[in-house]
Amino acid sequence: MSRIALVTGATSGIGKATAEALAGVGINLILCGRRQDRLDEIAAQLAAKVEVTTLLFDVRDKGSVSAMIGSLPDHWKNIDILINNAGNAHGMGTLEEGDVEDWDAMIDGNVKGLLYVSKAIIPLMLERGKGHIVNISSIAGKETYVNGAVYCASKAAVEVLSQGMRLELTQHGIKITNVAPGAVETEFSLVRFKGDEARADKVYQGFDPLQAVDIADAILYAVNAPAHVTIADLTILASAQSAATTIYRK
Ligand code: NDP
Ligand code: 8X3
């Protein structure tokens, strides 16, 4: 029987590429995001390969997360793989200058959102005695950089939550994979810099950045590992990147 994966943040970047990669190996998909037009477009594109359904919710809204996941028909609740990918950085600056709304968006989305989605899905996996959760962290969760303290804190929390989930859930047959990418060229910087395209483009200039498909490939490897193998942690950098803020540009 085909596996089912639920992907949060499937409307763009890493989540979209992961959905495409999973569809490529016949994994049925529950695509989640806040932009229904994009969900519909991606669902229509992938429906030629696999069964696809969509859920519209903001991961920060715990009532909506639990209601939408709870509303899935029974056969869609047999979720084998959860890709906790939804998230973003909002703004970049010192704590003194920082906008509290940006902090809320990062902590509520990247940390509490991941928890709300996991809380809705872990019981379904426990009932079946199997499952695989892939949490998208970041190099920013392993290293703190100047003007990024809150985003880095949110991703450090993801690192710790991956460890906590592994401690709690391994005994129940649930695998946990933590994926920490470096600079990936997606809509990430456009969101961080609030639509400033020139500033966002600059982040990826002068070197070959990672592409979303590179991260999707790694996720596919992790979810296709044999039953007795858990890929616990993956840090993935562009070849020109040696640390969070050290990138060799031409
Ligand atoms: P994108 O901006 O391209 O994609 C972000 C995705 O997350 C979108 O699909 C967006 O969907 C969704 N999302 C964001 N906030 C919410 C929310 N509150 N509720 C529901 N969905 C939300 O960026 P990436 O693909 O790069 O980012 C994906 C993940 O990868 C993030 O967790 C990010 O922190 C992480 N990451 C990114 C790196 C990079 O350099 N790009 C490096 C390391 C980690 P919609 O707007 O439709 O809701
Ligand atoms: C995104 C990568 O280095 O911009 O998580 O924080 S970085």
Side-chain angles (χ1 to χ4, degrees), residues 183 188-189 193 198-207 209 247 249:
F188 176 85
S189 291
F193 300 126
R199 198 169 170 200
D201 286 349
K202 229 175 142 197
V203 173
Y204 309 108
Q205 276 168 9
F207 75 112
I247 295 177
R249 296 173 197 264

Side-chain angles (χ1 to χ4, degrees), residues 86-169:
N88 274 118
H90 297 275
M92 204 170 176
T94 63
L95 294 173
E96 188 191 346
E97 298 158 350
D99 179 339
V100 174
E101 305 263 313
D102 284 343
W103 300 352
D104 286 346
M106 290 186 276
I107 301 294
D108 291 351
N110 303 354
V111 185
K112 290 162 70 181
L114 180 146
L115 282 168
Y116 298 153
V117 174
S118 302
K119 185 155 180 67
I121 290 173
I122 287 169
L124 304 174
M125 291 182 167
L126 287 174
E127 261 176 42
R128 301 169 70 227
K130 62 176 180 175
H132 192 159
I133 300 175
V134 179
N135 291 328
I136 307 303
S137 172
S138 169
I139 188 69
K142 298 182 186 284
E143 298 172 33
T144 308
Y145 53 80
V146 172
N147 292 331
V150 179
Y151 178 67
C152 293
S154 76
K155 288 298 176 176
V158 175
E159 296 277 315
V160 173
L161 290 172
S162 291
Q163 291 171 31
M165 286 182 183
R166 196 173 301 114
L167 287 168
E168 291 179 20
L169 298 174

